[in-house]
């Protein structure tokens, strides 16, 4: 049974296949309009979602499958009414795979080990692999060859950055991780596991954005976190100065939702070099490819 929990669980060949499939679906959606016929996807959201909810829902329907949104509280997916494993065992009698967004990465890792039903990680506090694969598709459309990508991540160390690090460790494109010094110090042990020649760490956004052709960021406070760390992000707002410091024509990326005026100015978010809506659009093609990947026997 296949699951989609983290990018570093996948082989490069598998990621290449998923990306290629997403490109093919995008080019010729009709050809795939029955790829998931008679299959049902369950969606469990324990946190808010716009893009992930919509891209899985519409994406699955366009593949000829159906979708059920399962309200976590209503089905008792909280280990209080019955064990989450028992819920999945019952779900497996009706549906074919389940996407889970929660605040408990360990739970979905453990559930996936039970091999009851294919599980897709729709974001946890630890990682957001669907987002980063979608972004990799968007980057490949933009740069043609991933070897030409040089990203400066300017912001927090969070789920999205962790998935980006997983991807960088496989593809070895240039990545400057620019995080406040306090956040770097708090996570030094984890950062040290990702070392390679194309991965550099900075705490100064001006230095860290130099020579990059993509500036990427995300909210400073992720869902479920306390906002006490905002004080560390002085000078971290992606603005004209930072964009001008990057390479000419550098693109701006953000998984969204954005807090305008905090991690990015409206001027940059709405600029012609911002490809945030393309990222949102590509989420659907990558979800479709992931669904076909996990449902393939
Ligand atoms: N980028 C993303 O995952 O958006 P949602 O939280 O709205 O799904
Ligand atoms: N890091 C953000 C991503 C939202 C898509 C969060 O977890 O809230």
């Amino acid at each position: 049974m296949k699951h989609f929990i983290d990018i570093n669980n996948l082989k490069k060949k598998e990621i290449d296949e998923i990306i290629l499939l997403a490109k093919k679906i995008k080019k010729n959606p009709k050809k795939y309009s029955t790829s998931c016929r008679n299959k049902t996807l369950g969606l469990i959201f324990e946190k808010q979602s716009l893009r992930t909810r919509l891209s899985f829902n519409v994406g699955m329907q366009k593949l000829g499958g159906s979708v059920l949104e399962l309200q976590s509280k209503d089905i008792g997916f909280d280990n209080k009414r019955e064990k989450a494993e028992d819920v999945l065992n019952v779900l497996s009698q009706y549906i074919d795979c389940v996407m889970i967004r929660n605040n408990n990465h360990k739970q979905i890792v453990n559930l996936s080990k039970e091999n009851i039903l294919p599980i897709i990680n729709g974001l946890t506090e630890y990682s957001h692999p669907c987002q980063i694969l979608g972004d990799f598709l968007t980057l490949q459309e933009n740069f043609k060859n991933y070897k030409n990508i040089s990203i400066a991540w300017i912001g927090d160390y969070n789920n999205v950055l962790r998935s980006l690090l997983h991807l960088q460790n496989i593809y070895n494109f240039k990545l400057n991780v620019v995080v406040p010094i306090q956040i770097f110090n708090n996570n030094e042990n984890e950062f040290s596991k990702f070392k390679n020649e194309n991965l550099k760490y900075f705490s100064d956004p001006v230095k860290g954005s130099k020579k990059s052709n993509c500036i990427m960021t995300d909210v400073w406070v992720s869902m479920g976190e306390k906002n006490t760390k905002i004080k560390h992000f002085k000078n971290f707002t992606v603005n004209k100065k930072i964009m001008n410091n990057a390479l000419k024509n550098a693109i701006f990326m953000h998984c969204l939702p954005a807090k305008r005026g905090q991690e990015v100015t409206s001027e940059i978010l709405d600029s012609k070099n911002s490809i945030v809506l393309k990222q949102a659009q590509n989420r659907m093609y990558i979800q479709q490819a992931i669904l076909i990947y996990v449902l393939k026997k």
Side-chain angles (χ1 to χ4, degrees):
M1 184 175 289
K2 288 202 202 109
H3 305 278
F4 183 81
I5 305 294
D6 271 311
I7 288 175
N8 61 348
N9 300 148
L10 297 171
K11 296 187 182 79
K12 184 169 178 288
K13 192 172 161 272
E14 288 174 304
I15 302 175
D16 287 340
E17 277 168 17
I18 294 172
I19 299 275
L20 181 65
L21 181 57
K23 286 179 183 167
K24 285 182 180 168
I25 299 171
K26 186 170 181 177
K27 206 168 168 193
N28 189 359
K30 264 200 184 144
K31 192 177 161 199
Y32 297 89
S33 62
T34 57
S35 296
C36 289
R37 196 171 47 191
N38 297 329
K39 300 284 181 199
T40 303
L41 162 71
L43 299 176
I44 300 178
F45 287 98
E46 295 187 334
K47 300 182 187 188
Q48 287 186 307
S49 171
L50 170 64
R51 284 140 287 261
T52 308
R53 171 176 272 119
L54 267 290
S55 54
F56 269 113
N57 206 318
V58 178
M60 184 58 163
Q61 290 184 51
K62 285 184 193 250
L63 295 175
S66 51
V67 185
L68 279 177
E69 184 150 349
L70 306 162
Q71 302 302 328
S72 182
K73 281 205 183 85
D74 294 348
I75 63 167
F77 192 68
D78 54 6
N79 279 312
K80 286 182 192 149
R81 188 162 184 250
E82 58 193 320
K83 281 179 71 187
E85 283 84 345
D86 292 338
V87 174
L88 274 201
N89 273 320
V90 173
L91 286 181
S92 72
Q93 305 305 306
Y94 309 117
I95 67 174
D96 303 281
C97 66
V98 67
M99 185 237 74
I100 303 173
R101 169 173 287 200
N102 73 5
N103 226 352
N104 188 351
H105 192 72
K106 270 195 193 129
Q107 181 189 38
I108 67 164
V109 170
N110 290 338
L111 285 174
S112 69
K113 286 182 188 152
E114 302 287 328
N115 280 331
I116 301 167
L117 203 57
I119 296 178
I120 299 170
N121 171 5
L123 179 148
T124 66
E125 80 290 1
Y126 176 80
S127 59
H128 197 3
C130 294
Q131 177 69 49
I132 286 300
L133 273 207
D135 290 348
F136 198 31
L137 168 62
T138 309
L139 281 159
Q140 287 191 25
E141 285 178 349
N142 212 75
F143 294 108
K144 308 292 177 238
N145 185 344
Y146 67 80
K147 288 184 178 131
N148 296 330
I149 301 172
S150 65
I151 301 172
W153 171 277
I154 299 181
D156 189 25
Y157 182 37
N158 64 11
N159 42 12
V160 177
L161 174 55
R162 198 172 281 105
S163 290
L164 180 63
L165 284 164
H166 288 157
L167 189 78
Q168 194 277 340
N169 263 238
I170 297 170
Y171 287 87
N172 209 39
F173 49 79
K174 288 198 178 89
L175 173 62
N176 287 353
V177 172
V178 191
V179 291
I181 190 71
Q182 297 84 348
I183 289 177
F184 181 82
N185 290 341
N186 289 343
N187 295 284
E188 210 172 344
N189 278 348
E190 210 187 333
F191 282 135
S192 65
K193 291 185 201 145
F194 290 109
K195 265 189 193 144
N196 63 59
E197 73 281 8
N198 283 334
L199 176 62
K200 299 198 168 75
Y201 292 97
F202 297 83
S203 53
D204 176 353
V206 173
K207 281 190 190 143
S209 52
K210 248 182 213 149
K211 294 191 183 158
S212 297
N213 54 23
C214 170
I215 304 291
M216 201 184 270
T217 190
D218 185 12
V219 288
W220 292 342
V221 183
S222 288
M223 290 181 280
E225 288 187 331
K226 294 199 179 89
N227 67 1
T228 45
K229 60 182 177 181
I230 285 192
K231 58 181 181 289
H232 301 315
F233 289 92
K234 207 169 162 266
N235 302 326
F236 269 70
T237 305
V238 177
N239 55 19
K240 219 170 158 181
K241 187 177 160 203
I242 289 185
M243 290 306 293
N244 286 344
N245 193 50
L247 289 176
K248 201 169 167 248
N249 296 327
I251 53 170
F252 172 75
M253 294 180 80
H254 190 312
C255 61
L256 304 180
K259 275 246 182 295
R260 289 171 179 266
Q262 198 165 86
E263 74 273 7
V264 58
T265 60
S266 283
E267 186 183 21
I268 298 305
L269 189 67
D270 301 329
S271 67
K272 66 173 183 7
N273 289 3
S274 165
I275 58 166
V276 297
L277 290 179
K278 181 68 69 187
Q279 289 176 261
Q281 182 199 61
N282 278 336
R283 292 291 307 278
M284 188 178 81
Y285 301 110
I286 214 73
Q287 321 294 36
Q288 291 178 310
I290 291 168
L291 283 165
I292 293 173
Y293 164 79
V294 296
L295 287 169
K296 207 156 78 185
K297 288 270 175 312

